[in-house]
Amino acid sequence: MATENRIIYLKVYCDQWKDSLDRAEGQRDRLIELKNSGLSAFDDDGKELLPIMIEEADEAARLYKRILTKMESLRDRAISGGDV
């Protein structure tokens, strides 16, 4: 059975990962809006950067979502009396 401190820790950890997910999704969405508005950004070789930046932000959001899902599962099991 998880201790009360472990449950509190898991709740805080879930909140932190949720905040990270929200920030990554917000960044991705802002970059998409910029791209859709016609803004372009290129590196020194002429390669367009916004699609790369959008993909990186989306990749981060997917990773944060996977971590959040795992942490929420641990938290819920701990709250239900599981040993996590």
Side-chain angles (χ1 to χ4, degrees):
M1 179 176 205
T3 66
E4 186 63 30
N5 283 342
R6 177 72 171 151
I7 292 170
I8 291 168
Y9 169 79
L10 289 168
K11 287 179 178 180
V12 169
Y13 206 50
C14 285
D15 290 343
Q16 291 171 340
W17 281 111
K18 176 69 172 121
D19 289 344
S20 294
L21 173 60
D22 290 345
R23 282 192 307 275
E25 289 176 335
Q27 180 181 11
R28 179 201 56 210
D29 294 346
R30 283 188 300 278
L31 290 167
I32 290 170
E33 288 173 11
L34 290 172
K35 184 176 183 295
N36 289 342
S37 73
L39 182 72
S40 298
F42 298 92
D43 66 11
D44 292 338
D45 296 325
K47 186 171 185 175
E48 189 174 0
L49 295 175
L50 280 177
I52 295 167
M53 295 169 67
I54 291 167
E55 180 57 35
E56 288 173 353
D58 192 53
E59 186 177 327
R62 288 191 309 265
L63 175 62
Y64 296 158
K65 179 63 177 166
R66 285 196 315 266
I67 294 169
L68 176 60
T69 299
K70 171 90 172 156
M71 295 312 302
E72 287 173 334
S73 175
L74 287 173
R75 179 203 59 206
D76 293 347
R77 289 192 341 242
I79 290 170
S80 296
D83 188 18
V84 296

